[in-house]
Amino acid sequence: MKNGTCWLDEAGRPIQAHGGMITRFGKKWYWYGEDKGAPNALLPDGSVSRRVDVIGVSCYSSDDLHSWRREGLALAGQQAGYLAPENVCERPKVIYSVATGKYVMWFHCDRGDYTLASAGCAVADRPEGPFTLIRVLPPNRRDCRDMTLFEDPVSGGAYLIHSGDWNKTLYLSELDASRTEFTGKCVAILPEQEREAPAMCYQDGMYYLFTSGCTGWAPNPALYAASPRLDGVFRLIDNPCQGPRFRTTFDGQSACIFRDGERHYLLLDHWQPTHLRDSGYSILPLEIQNGALQVTWRDEF
Ligand code: GAL
């Protein structure tokens, strides 16, 4: 697959899984993301907006991370309510709750003007869905825009990591065993740094947090932060990108980090603001050595 381009599914249709997450359940890979498979909405004056009306969260499955089968909409948009077309449903992530046997999806749920800034939670019996929206709330009374989920391989705990305080601070909000409720533990892990698009991983005693700056769809330099404690304050270290266009994260933005065996991989979105449905993807291996993280551009995944 050619990095930076919009990939096709098994049926030859563009993969609509933006701002997404690749994860494994059982023997299969699943890719969830924003379905933006429609033209950008038009503004009242007839010009093109920088949004696509909510369609829902799509799900794709794969045995090998290269050939993806569309499983349909895992969480479908609705005519009214939080998932109505004029709203925002971004950065969906899914984890499994051993305690309840349910698959739990969290996503950034918002109004079209981004002033609701909440987290939406939906559950399903199967990874493909259908997911049912159970609630929308500001986690621990904080606003929530860009977000991710992280399952700590050390403690087995799960966390919603979200940009709060108008994107000024990244918070870690702990989930309970059902993965649908917060325990009340909430820590500012990256205070006052204005970072978004969080993606987390763990290796050899260190947690790494990959983020972008806050410039909307426009690419900017990535930065990574690290901490030996998940609930500590992370230290911002450097731009981990190497190669052409390293200053703009290869013209991309982090969507998630996933692990295949011993390797971690970064999934990037390459946003096309005026025709979002054509936005591309990249998957790049992360190199982690002696507490330092690097990601080098490759033309192919
Ligand atoms: C970006 C964010 C995207 C989307 C976009 C809208 O900063 O990472 O998920 O919200 O802004 O402009």
Side-chain angles (χ1 to χ4, degrees), residues 19 34 36 50-51 88 90-91 108 114 145-147 167 196-198 212-218 220 253-254 269 271 276:
E34 303 155 25
K36 294 196 177 297
R50 297 189 158 222
R51 56 169 276 118
V88 164
E90 289 182 340
R91 297 193 174 263
H108 170 196
Y114 289 91
R145 291 189 174 84
D146 277 10
M147 44 130 298
N167 289 341
E196 60 180 9
S212 76
C214 299
T215 55
W217 302 122
N220 56 56
Q253 188 186 29
S254 33
D269 292 298
W271 300 114
L276 282 160

Side-chain angles (χ1 to χ4, degrees), residues 2-300:
K2 195 169 161 18
N3 277 331
T5 66
C6 190
W7 298 334
L8 303 179
D9 68 11
E10 275 181 11
R13 290 173 304 215
I15 293 180
Q16 288 298 328
H18 309 281
M21 172 199 217
I22 292 176
T23 189
R24 204 178 183 125
F25 294 124
K27 292 205 169 92
K28 270 196 174 173
W29 291 102
Y30 290 87
W31 184 354
Y32 300 91
E34 303 155 25
D35 191 327
K36 294 196 177 297
N40 280 29
L42 293 180
L43 294 168
D45 67 1
S47 63
V48 175
S49 76
R50 297 189 158 222
R51 56 169 276 118
V52 170
D53 285 350
V54 172
I55 296 171
V57 175
S58 52
C59 174
Y60 294 80
S61 67
S62 174
D63 295 325
D64 59 7
L65 292 168
H66 283 82
S67 169
W68 292 95
R69 173 183 304 119
R70 185 170 170 94
E71 302 285 355
L73 285 178
L75 178 70
Q78 285 164 11
Q79 277 322 301
Y82 288 115
L83 295 168
E86 67 274 18
N87 289 330
V88 164
C89 170
E90 289 182 340
R91 297 193 174 263
K93 309 286 178 263
V94 177
I95 48 172
Y96 177 70
S97 164
V98 179
T100 63
K102 302 267 187 205
Y103 294 85
V104 181
M105 178 187 291
W106 286 91
F107 64 96
H108 170 196
C109 183
D110 222 322
R111 280 192 279 265
D113 61 3
Y114 289 91
T115 55
L116 184 67
S118 288
C121 179
V123 294
D125 294 324
R126 301 166 62 237
E128 298 85 357
F131 282 79
T132 308
L133 185 65
I134 56 169
R135 62 216 170 85
V136 170
L137 76 170
N140 295 303
R141 295 173 300 283
R142 305 251 172 219
D143 55 351
C144 166
R145 291 189 174 84
D146 277 10
M147 44 130 298
T148 194
L149 290 177
F150 180 67
E151 253 184 308
D152 182 3
V154 178
S155 70
Y159 303 85
L160 180 76
I161 298 167
H162 52 105
S163 300
D165 302 348
W166 287 96
N167 289 341
K168 280 200 177 51
T169 289
L170 264 176
Y171 288 95
L172 175 100
S173 287
E174 188 180 50
L175 295 167
D176 75 0
S178 72
R179 307 315 194 209
T180 60
E181 305 277 344
F182 295 103
T183 63
K185 180 174 176 180
C186 177
V187 182
I189 55 171
L190 216 50
E192 308 274 334
Q193 296 297 332
E194 307 221 11
R195 308 299 298 169
E196 60 180 9
M200 178 84 88
C201 67
Y202 169 84
Q203 191 170 302
D204 300 330
M206 205 63 149
Y207 296 89
Y208 298 90
L209 179 59
F210 194 105
T211 59
S212 76
C214 299
T215 55
W217 302 122
N220 56 56
L223 285 176
Y224 81 97
S227 167
R229 286 182 61 120
L230 184 55
D231 60 357
V233 172
F234 279 60
R235 193 163 66 91
L236 273 174
I237 300 187
D238 205 352
N239 178 350
C241 301
Q242 308 269 324
R245 297 165 288 119
F246 76 95
R247 281 206 176 83
T248 52
T249 318
F250 320 115
D251 295 343
Q253 188 186 29
S254 33
C256 78
I257 294 173
F258 63 93
R259 191 172 145 173
D260 183 12
E262 291 308 299
R263 269 234 118 137
H264 289 99
Y265 292 86
L266 175 69
L267 173 66
L268 294 177
D269 292 298
H270 297 270
W271 300 114
Q272 303 284 336
T274 54
H275 40 108
L276 282 160
R277 66 174 166 187
D278 299 330
S279 300
Y281 311 101
S282 293
I283 296 179
L284 300 166
L286 293 182
E287 299 134 54
I288 301 176
Q289 252 173 12
N290 306 323
L293 186 150
Q294 270 189 15
V295 53
T296 307
W297 176 255
R298 298 181 180 199
D299 290 332
E300 291 281 331

